[in-house]
């Protein structure tokens, strides 16, 4: 059976109406659309054909139709109309990004919250691992009697610290010597070179503070290992309960408990694949609990060879055009920001810029 332009138009109308209402769509509702110049009988026949072809489903005998996973996939790939971000939308997103963005090690939680607020759906953000990170400088600061603060500045400009207890026999002079030794021997050292041999060498030069060297080495290697892990953040879990499909709390809990699986199973494809937005519809997700859920993801550049991913999780009925437009806008402007760290604000949003159309998919 041929998928004619009329069938595509009817399918697009069914998906659009179902996204807005969350109710099965009947032929009368489609006939009432201003651009639908077909009779109710013709629409019914086309909907019956689309059902037979697997693009629509009929929940109940007397009910209207709803899109199937195959119908959503065709809609996303071919039929979805472009969504134009309004001036208010771009202005509010610009202000939110300008206000919240800090250094890379702080940013992913904030991005997740912003994306969740902008889409009204649970959001996932991931920063790819930072390979080759080393320590640029160690500072050992006396913090009163019996303790000192170990401060490390990393090669990616991240700063971490740890409060460490001082042995009784170690004083301020010993601490200054230890600081000079670790800066001379442990800076710019790859994590793989933190061997027992290196630690023994540092301990031999550290005098009375030698007992502190294992503690410093342990914290240093743990920090560098952490920098090599993907930084994953999830925000807006409870927004899923606002969707009609997840008023059943048990169903919502199954989805929410599998958000980490969404990241784990889909991250390699997204981070390693081509640029652009990816949409996983229903059964395309790995976990059985996500078969009625869609995931929309896109990448952005962080700089220094690193990439980030932002995505949302929601019902298959989500407004794909609006979600992909907003994710694309976030990704584009985050890439610009990280590419030029000296300019931590976005363009003010001229009328020409704000009125731009975010091209996510081709029109039918």
């Amino acid at each position: 059976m041929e998928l004619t332009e009329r069938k595509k138009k009817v399918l697009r109308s069914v998906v659009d109406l179902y996204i807005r209402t969350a109710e099965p769509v009947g032929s009368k509702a489609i006939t009432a659309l201003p651009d639908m110049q077909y009779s109710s009988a013709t629409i019914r026949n086309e909907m019956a054909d689309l059902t037979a072809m697997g693009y629509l489903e009929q929940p109940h005998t007397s009910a209207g139709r709803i899109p199937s996973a195959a119908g959503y996939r065709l809609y996303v790939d071919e039929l979805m109309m472009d969504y134009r971000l309004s001036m208010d939308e771009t202005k509010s997103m610009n202000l939110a990004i300008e206000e919240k963005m800090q250094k890379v090690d702080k940013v992913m939680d904030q991005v997740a919250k912003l994306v969740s607020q902008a889409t009204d759906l649970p959001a996932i953000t991931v920063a790819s691992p930072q390979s080759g990170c080393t320590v640029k400088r160690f500072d050992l600061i006396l913090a009163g009697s019996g303790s000192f603060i170990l401060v490390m500045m990393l090669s990616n400009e991240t700063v971490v610290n740890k409060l460490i207890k001082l042995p009784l026999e170690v004083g301020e002079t010993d601490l200054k010597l230890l600081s000079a030794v670790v800066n001379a021997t442990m800076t710019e050292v790859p994590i793989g070179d933190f061997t027992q041999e290196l630690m023994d060498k540092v301990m031999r030069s550290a005098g009375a503070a030698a007992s502190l060297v294992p503690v410093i080495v342990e914290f240093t290697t743990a920090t560098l290992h952490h920098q090599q892990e993907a930084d994953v953040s999830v925000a807006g879990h409870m927004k899923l309960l606002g969707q009609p499909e997840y008023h059943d709390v048990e169903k919502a809990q199954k989805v929410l408990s599998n958000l980490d699986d969404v990241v784990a199973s889909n991250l390699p494809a997204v981070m390693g694949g081509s640029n652009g937005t990816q949409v996983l519809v229903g059964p395309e997700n790995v976990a059985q609990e996500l078969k009625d859920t869609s995931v929309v993801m896109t990448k952005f550049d962080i700089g220094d060879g690193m990439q980030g991913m932002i995505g949302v999780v929601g019902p298959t009925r989500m407004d794909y055009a609006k979600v992909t437009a907003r994710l694309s806008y976030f990704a584009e402007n985050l890439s610009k920001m990280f590419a030029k760290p000296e300019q931590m604000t976005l363009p003010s949003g001229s009328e020409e810029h704000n009125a731009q159309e975010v091209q996510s998919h081709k029109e039918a």
Side-chain angles (χ1 to χ4, degrees):
M1 192 178 300
E2 181 184 1
L3 188 62
T4 62
E5 289 304 313
R6 186 165 66 188
K7 283 183 172 60
K8 290 181 180 180
K9 189 173 183 179
V10 171
L11 175 60
R12 181 167 58 200
S13 298
V14 172
V15 177
D16 287 339
L17 286 170
Y18 188 60
I19 286 173
R20 292 203 298 266
T21 66
E23 297 289 340
V25 179
S27 58
K28 289 184 178 179
I30 296 179
T31 306
L33 296 174
D35 62 338
M36 194 64 64
Q37 308 298 323
Y38 307 114
S39 67
S40 183
T42 299
I43 299 298
R44 282 196 299 273
N45 290 336
E46 297 290 19
M47 293 176 72
D49 289 346
L50 288 166
T51 303
M53 297 169 73
Y55 293 113
L56 296 179
E57 296 175 350
Q58 191 170 23
H60 308 289
T61 305
S62 59
R65 264 66 167 189
I66 64 174
S68 67
Y72 280 121
R73 170 48 60 194
L74 182 64
Y75 175 84
V76 169
D77 290 344
E78 297 185 29
L79 308 180
M80 184 172 67
M81 302 297 289
D82 297 326
Y83 179 82
R84 184 185 296 273
L85 293 172
S86 68
M87 293 181 66
D88 286 341
E89 286 176 303
T90 56
K91 185 176 181 179
S92 64
M93 286 190 285
N94 284 348
L95 289 174
I97 294 174
E98 289 174 4
E99 178 184 356
K100 298 291 185 180
M101 297 301 96
Q102 303 294 329
K103 291 183 181 293
V104 175
D105 63 322
K106 304 292 185 183
V107 78
M108 301 314 289
D109 285 343
Q110 296 293 351
V111 172
K113 292 175 184 176
L114 293 175
V115 172
S116 180
Q117 291 168 5
T119 61
D120 205 30
L121 291 168
I124 303 167
T125 59
V126 183
S128 63
Q130 304 179 40
S131 59
C133 186
T134 61
V135 180
K136 287 178 63 176
R137 192 181 77 212
F138 292 90
D139 287 306
L140 281 62
I141 304 170
L142 197 63
S145 60
S147 63
F148 73 97
I149 301 172
L150 170 63
V151 181
M152 298 191 307
M153 176 175 285
L154 307 183
S155 57
N156 61 6
E157 305 303 324
T158 299
V159 177
V160 296
N161 62 78
K162 179 180 177 67
L163 182 66
I164 300 175
K165 188 175 180 179
L166 276 170
L168 292 176
E169 69 276 10
V170 176
E172 185 173 1
T173 301
D174 301 314
L175 206 59
K176 289 181 179 179
L177 172 63
L178 178 60
S179 178
V181 170
V182 295
N183 275 292
T185 57
M186 290 170 50
T187 53
E188 310 298 338
V189 176
I191 189 170
D193 291 348
F194 278 87
T195 61
Q196 184 64 43
E197 181 181 358
L198 175 64
M199 187 162 69
D200 291 342
K201 176 183 175 181
V202 177
M203 291 180 69
R204 287 194 297 269
S205 304
S211 62
L212 293 171
V213 173
V215 179
I216 295 175
V217 170
E218 181 182 4
F219 181 64
T220 301
T221 54
T223 299
L224 295 180
H225 275 299
H226 177 70
Q227 296 299 313
Q228 294 181 350
E229 298 173 353
D231 184 8
V232 180
S233 299
V234 181
H237 297 72
M238 302 311 295
K239 291 184 181 293
L240 206 63
L241 297 177
Q243 302 293 330
E245 292 86 345
Y246 300 104
H247 287 171
D248 181 340
V249 177
E250 183 178 350
K251 181 179 179 181
Q253 285 178 334
K254 288 181 179 179
V255 174
L256 293 174
S257 64
N258 279 274
L259 285 184
D260 288 342
D261 291 339
V262 171
V263 176
S265 60
N266 297 317
L267 179 60
V270 176
M271 301 299 281
S274 59
N275 293 327
T277 301
Q278 294 192 22
V279 180
L280 298 177
V281 178
E284 296 172 2
N285 290 292
V286 176
Q288 175 67 18
E289 290 80 6
L290 301 176
K291 65 181 179 64
D292 296 324
T293 302
S294 287
V295 181
V296 183
M297 300 168 286
T298 193
K299 294 189 294 186
F300 62 94
D301 292 323
I302 296 178
D304 297 326
M306 293 174 57
Q307 287 188 319
M309 183 275 285
I310 52 178
V312 297
V313 179
T316 53
R317 185 187 52 81
M318 76 167 69
D319 191 334
Y320 294 97
K322 183 181 293 185
V323 168
T324 54
R326 290 179 175 175
L327 287 184
S328 295
Y329 188 83
F330 268 108
E332 176 186 351
N333 285 284
L334 286 169
S335 293
K336 290 178 181 177
M337 182 196 312
F338 285 119
K340 298 179 180 179
E342 71 279 6
Q343 297 177 4
M344 291 302 292
T345 58
L346 297 175
S348 60
S350 63
E351 182 176 349
E352 179 182 357
H353 177 73
N354 285 331
Q356 72 176 351
E357 188 169 329
V358 180
Q359 180 74 28
S360 301
H361 297 270
K362 45 186 182 175
E363 294 187 20

